[in-house]
Amino acid sequence: MTLFKMGNAAYIKEKNKRHILQCIKEHGPIARSRISETLHLSKPTVSALVEELLHEGWVREEGNGDAGQLGGRKPIYLTFNSRAAYIFGVDIGGTKTLTAVSDLAGNILGTREFPTQDNLQYGLLKKVQKHVQELLLEQQISEDRVLGIGIGAPGTTDIVQGTVIDAPSLNWHDYPLQNEASALFPFPVFIDNDVNVAVLGEQWLGSAKNMSNVVLISIGTGIGCGIMINGQLYRGASFAAGEIGYLVTDKNEAKKHTKRAFEGYGFLDSFTGGPAIVAKMQEALGDKAIQELTAKDVFDLAKSGDQTALAVTEEVVDHIGFAIANVISIINPEAVILGGGISKSSPWYLPRIEQIVSEFAAVKTVIKTTTCGPNLGVIGAVSLVLREHESALKTF
Amino acid sequence: MTLFKMGNAAYIKEKNKRHILQCIKEHGPIARSRISETLHLSKPTVSALVEELLHEGWVREEGNGDAGQLGGRKPIYLTFNSRAAYIFGVDIGGTKTLTAVSDLAGNILGTREFPTQDNLQYGLLKKVQKHVQELLLEQQISEDRVLGIGIGAPGTTDIVQGTVIDAPSLNWHDYPLQNEASALFPFPVFIDNDVNVAVLGEQWLGSAKNMSNVVLISIGTGIGCGIMINGQLYRGASFAAGEIGYLVTDKNEAKKHTKRAFEGYGFLDSFTGGPAIVAKMQEALGDKAIQELTAKDVFDLAKSGDQTALAVTEEVVDHIGFAIANVISIINPEAVILGGGISKSSPWYLPRIEQIVSEFAAVKTVIKTTTCGPNLGVIGAVSLVLREHESALKTF
DNA sequence: AGGTAAGTTAGGTAACTTAACTAACTAACC
DNA sequence: GGTTAGTTAGTTAAGTTACCTAACTTACCT
């Protein structure tokens, strides 16, 4: 990839430049003089690098501030130009695929979506490409102003090879997503697992803002978990970190099943997965089985007071609670964020999870729900681009 | 701590110097010219920095190598001088406290030990200090040649405050270990949890050599787990990462107990802890209960074929197996290393654990046992000093 | 001798720093 | 109300440092 260089003067200049840009981004309107103080860089250095940043469009001079009480020249405020470049985020979900453009601050400027399943055969990426072009036109953005496109895929993803190892809902196996996408877009493509992408989003603009160690647990079609450690996404030795669908929360139950029972999915999946919930419910209903039942229906029934549904969902929530407690005992995150489909009805089951966690986890840990809403996936994908993109400073 | 400086020329020089030293350390006897190639630094730069390293004693010129087939000047081989400085490692265990001196390559040059419990009241650190002085004398090492002393403590450790939050076996609660020790030694003191220290050791010189993502599970008095992620120790948001004594592997069993049952220790501890094992065995024996029974006795009995002991230990091993499977599903490490007291009898129960892991964990993962032997603790403590010590280059 | 490789010397460049400057403003005094 | 002193923001100029390239010496092979 990028040439291995480490010790020359250019490296230190770029590093300082990055720091200055970061400082302006974080500390809002700020004067050169203040940057010099906080970053322990000399005033001339800051001025020179800011000059370049101004030229390159990353930064704007935004009017003069007031002078201090004791007098002195007015500071010239610098602000980060979040419109210096644009980023595309794509959230490939089991049901729909969302495409969005955002500025550098994560403001979603426009979105498009289409049903995933209908377009699987014909070329899902072709459709995304169409939406990207529509959004470019709509928002009057020129291609060379786009930093890159981030894609979150619902399955294990090898970000080194750029392939989706396994995404059952899309029937993708070792699908070279990054290569396929790179052929369609004139800017860099970054891909990752949907849960990983979700933590990135939540840690950037959601309820895990600025937390260095945080875990997002997504409960939807399956159960998954994205882990951030030391402010960085942790993917594991073989991109399988956070596969909590395999957690065993009941060893006696587990021993009853043979290996076959879990082929392709884990112990916990067989209790908390959508199909499993429906099956359990049907079994409990016996001859009163309902046609076309979904997991959401079961939860809705439970909420409305149905005793059978309540028993089934309580069991599910219990399993999830213990799984979360186990994650906490191992990872000791600052907070656990709950996301995914079921997180909407969180007020109902959150107390039970909190209770289990407070009783059984090694440390008291805050449990929150996502705050990014339905755009979490695309926001995370955008964040992925910002984090992985090496040269977020190169002139263009 | 160390002054915040990042952008000046001195920084890049030190960085390059470190890289060169690292390169010599790793790639054995190596010529300046080869360093220049592998590190992409110019020959004059390498020569200048090597000159300094020679002066400071970190590096030695070790005879000339042979010239190449096509002729040319013979290379001057450089080797890392592992005797440039020395490090002390202290392993405070529940039963004994080991003190060792090592060189920079991790060679243990001498050790001393004393029973921990007998010296708790009188001043454990005073005794360590005595042993350190003895070793300095014995090995003819002058104080100012010592980089630091690393101490592994059997309990949750706050490495920022430098305190041991809780170490039941020593009756330490918020004990300011680092401060207390710093008062006794004329060189820097570094402290950490015994399990954390153990992974460091195992990753430096043991069976996890050079692995970036690895987990060490220690089964002794309690069960604990040290986690390395991206080549760095991961301690968690509140130094409680890896508290697998709290993992719940049987939610129905867990729900039977009230919170009180686990006060201070976790669900798994209540099945795999020494006292728990003994209690289970006595219960199984009924009126045939044995006086003065220890957990080790139970395992020994099981190994000799005692049916009651076999049943009890099998249950314990099962719990441990599922706990390890859960750790793997969450962390996805390159390998899991088993350590601690019981790891000696590993050939006996390892197959069962491997079976559970292969059946229930999300990914196939190698399970190994420690290879550092009884010195793992002190080697880890030495490694801690090497890793935490910022200025492993400052002249002295 | 001619070729090759290791390591050194000399000169140039690029980035930082400090010190001194200009610019712009407040406060206070005559 | 005008002048002067003090303060802060940002620029200019000179000096430092650590890197690089290019040309060299040393030492060895055939």
Side-chain angles (χ1 to χ4, degrees):
Chain A
M1 291 288 159
T2 118
L3 198 71
F4 177 84
K5 253 186 182 175
M6 51 170 223
N8 58 21
Y11 165 79
I12 154 171
K13 178 177 177 180
E14 192 166 311
K15 188 174 164 158
N16 285 337
K17 205 161 153 187
R18 252 178 237 278
H19 275 265
I20 288 173
L21 186 59
Q22 188 63 27
C23 183
I24 295 171
K25 215 173 181 176
E26 274 178 19
H27 302 106
I30 186 173
R32 290 166 175 79
S33 150
R34 184 59 42 85
I35 297 173
S36 161
E37 277 170 31
T38 55
L39 255 47
H40 300 262
L41 285 168
S42 69
K43 293 198 285 175
T45 302
V46 172
S47 287
L49 295 179
V50 163
E51 182 67 14
E52 289 188 25
L53 290 170
L54 281 165
H55 251 264
E56 288 160 18
W58 297 104
V59 159
R60 289 259 160 81
E61 287 189 341
E62 200 113 306
N64 296 35
D66 286 331
Q69 299 257 325
L70 301 158
R73 178 172 167 179
K74 280 180 188 165
I76 305 164
Y77 282 141
L78 299 163
T79 57
F80 178 68
N81 177 20
S82 52
R83 296 300 186 100
Y86 300 88
I87 297 163
F88 279 90
V90 180
D91 176 14
I92 306 178
T95 51
K96 67 181 178 185
T97 298
L98 232 151
T99 305
V101 224
S102 106
D103 62 15
L104 293 174
N107 299 307
I108 302 289
L109 307 172
T111 58
R112 288 284 188 287
E113 63 174 78
F114 62 84
T116 305
Q117 299 299 331
D118 302 359
N119 293 275
L120 267 181
Q121 301 298 331
Y122 186 65
L124 185 138
L125 288 175
K126 282 268 178 206
K127 191 95 180 187
V128 172
Q129 186 189 30
K130 207 185 131 207
H131 280 175
V132 164
Q133 275 159 356
E134 281 179 31
L135 287 165
L136 282 173
L137 226 73
E138 179 187 292
Q139 298 293 325
Q140 307 261 48
I141 296 166
S142 92
E143 272 182 6
D144 50 294
R145 285 249 155 203
V146 176
L147 266 190
I149 182 166
I151 307 178
T156 317
T157 305
D158 181 338
I159 66 145
V160 175
Q161 302 288 322
T163 59
V164 177
I165 297 169
D166 198 62
S169 60
L170 308 179
N171 203 28
W172 281 357
H173 307 284
D174 289 314
Y175 178 68
L177 176 57
Q178 189 165 33
N179 276 343
E180 295 282 316
S182 292
L184 296 177
F185 302 106
F187 27 77
V189 176
F190 302 89
I191 70 166
D192 211 326
N193 187 352
D194 55 352
V195 211
N196 286 343
V197 157
V199 226
L200 284 180
E202 207 63 35
Q203 198 257 4
W204 185 28
L205 298 170
S207 37
K209 212 170 194 169
N210 298 324
M211 287 184 188
S212 302
N213 302 297
V214 73
V215 158
L216 179 136
I217 291 180
S218 169
I219 308 157
T221 322
I223 185 165
C225 150
I227 301 168
M228 288 197 73
I229 279 177
N230 293 330
Q232 282 200 308
L233 206 50
Y234 174 65
R235 298 179 170 97
S238 56
F239 308 104
E243 288 279 1
I244 58 173
Y246 284 81
L247 285 187
V248 176
T249 44
D250 187 338
K251 82 179 183 35
N252 293 317
E253 190 68 32
K255 283 202 280 190
K256 280 186 209 158
H257 299 72
T258 60
K259 181 171 166 46
R260 296 278 165 274
F262 306 126
E263 206 69 73
Y265 67 113
F267 172 84
L268 197 63
D269 283 327
S270 70
F271 285 91
T272 63
I277 293 171
V278 172
K280 266 269 161 69
M281 182 68 183
Q282 301 287 33
E283 189 191 321
L285 286 167
D287 46 355
K288 281 179 273 178
I290 305 166
Q291 296 283 342
E292 300 267 329
L293 192 71
T294 68
K296 194 181 173 303
D297 296 336
V298 180
F299 272 84
D300 287 344
L301 277 169
K303 225 188 291 188
S304 69
D306 181 283
Q307 288 301 315
T308 320
L310 263 173
V312 170
T313 51
E314 245 168 47
E315 178 82 5
V316 173
V317 172
D318 268 19
H319 272 290
I320 293 172
F322 282 104
I324 293 176
N326 283 351
V327 170
I328 290 173
S329 296
I330 293 173
I331 306 266
N332 177 216
E334 279 171 70
V336 170
I337 317 293
L338 292 182
I342 313 184
S343 70
K344 274 165 245 163
S345 44
S346 60
W348 174 59
Y349 62 77
L350 194 58
R352 176 69 185 138
I353 290 179
E354 278 173 336
Q355 189 204 336
I356 294 174
V357 165
S358 76
E359 272 185 37
F360 295 99
V363 273
K364 298 242 170 298
T365 305
V366 184
I367 300 194
K368 303 180 171 191
T369 48
T370 52
T371 49
C372 288
N375 283 334
L376 176 58
V378 288
I379 290 174
V382 167
S383 173
L384 178 70
V385 176
L386 277 176
R387 284 163 174 274
E388 300 291 320
H389 198 82
E390 255 306 298
S391 51
L393 263 180
K394 290 276 184 312
T395 37
F396 53 109
Chain B
M1 290 286 164
T2 118
L3 199 71
F4 177 85
K5 253 188 182 175
M6 51 169 222
N8 58 21
Y11 164 79
I12 154 171
K13 178 177 177 180
E14 191 166 313
K15 188 174 164 157
N16 285 337
K17 205 162 152 187
R18 254 179 234 277
H19 274 264
I20 289 174
L21 186 59
Q22 189 62 28
C23 183
I24 296 171
K25 213 173 181 176
E26 274 178 19
H27 303 106
I30 187 173
R32 288 167 176 80
S33 153
R34 184 58 44 83
I35 297 173
S36 161
E37 278 171 28
T38 55
L39 255 45
H40 300 262
L41 286 168
S42 70
K43 293 198 287 174
T45 301
V46 173
S47 287
L49 294 179
V50 163
E51 181 69 14
E52 290 187 25
L53 289 170
L54 281 165
H55 251 265
E56 289 159 16
W58 297 105
V59 159
R60 289 258 160 82
E61 287 190 338
E62 201 113 307
N64 297 33
D66 286 331
Q69 299 258 326
L70 301 157
R73 178 171 166 179
K74 280 180 188 166
I76 305 164
Y77 281 141
L78 299 163
T79 56
F80 178 66
N81 176 19
S82 52
R83 296 300 186 100
Y86 301 87
I87 297 163
F88 278 90
V90 180
D91 177 13
I92 306 179
T95 51
K96 67 181 180 188
T97 298
L98 231 151
T99 304
V101 224
S102 107
D103 62 17
L104 293 174
N107 299 309
I108 302 288
L109 307 173
T111 57
R112 288 283 187 288
E113 65 175 75
F114 63 84
T116 304
Q117 298 300 331
D118 303 358
N119 293 274
L120 266 181
Q121 301 298 330
Y122 187 66
L124 186 137
L125 288 176
K126 281 271 175 199
K127 191 94 180 186
V128 172
Q129 186 189 30
K130 208 187 127 203
H131 280 173
V132 165
Q133 275 159 357
E134 281 178 32
L135 287 165
L136 282 173
L137 225 74
E138 180 187 292
Q139 298 293 325
Q140 306 262 49
I141 296 166
S142 90
E143 272 182 6
D144 50 294
R145 285 248 155 205
V146 176
L147 265 190
I149 183 166
I151 307 178
T156 318
T157 304
D158 180 338
I159 65 146
V160 175
Q161 302 288 322
T163 59
V164 177
I165 297 169
D166 198 61
S169 60
L170 308 180
N171 203 28
W172 282 356
H173 307 285
D174 289 316
Y175 178 68
L177 177 57
Q178 189 165 33
N179 275 343
E180 295 282 316
S182 292
L184 296 177
F185 301 106
F187 27 77
V189 176
F190 302 90
I191 69 165
D192 211 328
N193 188 351
D194 54 352
V195 210
N196 286 344
V197 157
V199 226
L200 285 179
E202 208 63 35
Q203 198 256 7
W204 185 28
L205 298 170
S207 38
K209 214 169 190 169
N210 298 325
M211 287 184 187
S212 301
N213 301 297
V214 73
V215 159
L216 177 135
I217 291 179
S218 169
I219 308 157
T221 321
I223 186 166
C225 151
I227 303 168
M228 288 198 74
I229 280 175
N230 293 330
Q232 283 198 309
L233 205 51
Y234 174 64
R235 300 180 170 96
S238 55
F239 308 103
E243 288 278 0
I244 59 173
Y246 285 80
L247 285 186
V248 176
T249 44
D250 187 338
K251 84 180 183 32
N252 293 318
E253 190 67 33
K255 283 202 279 190
K256 279 186 210 160
H257 299 72
T258 61
K259 181 173 166 43
R260 294 280 165 273
F262 305 126
E263 204 70 72
Y265 67 113
F267 172 84
L268 198 62
D269 283 325
S270 71
F271 285 90
T272 63
I277 294 172
V278 173
K280 265 269 161 68
M281 183 67 185
Q282 300 289 31
E283 190 191 319
L285 286 168
D287 45 355
K288 280 180 273 177
I290 304 166
Q291 296 285 341
E292 299 268 328
L293 192 73
T294 68
K296 193 179 174 302
D297 296 335
V298 179
F299 272 85
D300 287 344
L301 277 168
K303 225 187 291 186
S304 69
D306 180 283
Q307 287 301 314
T308 322
L310 265 173
V312 170
T313 52
E314 244 169 47
E315 177 81 4
V316 172
V317 171
D318 268 20
H319 271 290
I320 292 172
F322 281 105
I324 293 176
N326 283 352
V327 170
I328 290 173
S329 296
I330 293 174
I331 307 268
N332 177 216
E334 278 171 69
V336 170
I337 317 293
L338 292 183
I342 312 185
S343 70
K344 275 164 245 163
S345 44
S346 60
W348 174 58
Y349 61 77
L350 193 59
R352 176 67 184 141
I353 290 180
E354 277 174 336
Q355 190 205 333
I356 295 174
V357 165
S358 77
E359 272 184 37
F360 295 100
V363 272
K364 297 242 171 299
T365 304
V366 185
I367 300 194
K368 303 182 173 189
T369 48
T370 51
T371 49
C372 286
N375 283 334
L376 176 57
V378 288
I379 290 174
V382 167
S383 172
L384 178 71
V385 175
L386 277 174
R387 283 162 174 272
E388 300 291 320
H389 199 82
E390 256 306 299
S391 51
L393 264 181
K394 290 277 184 309
T395 38
F396 53 108

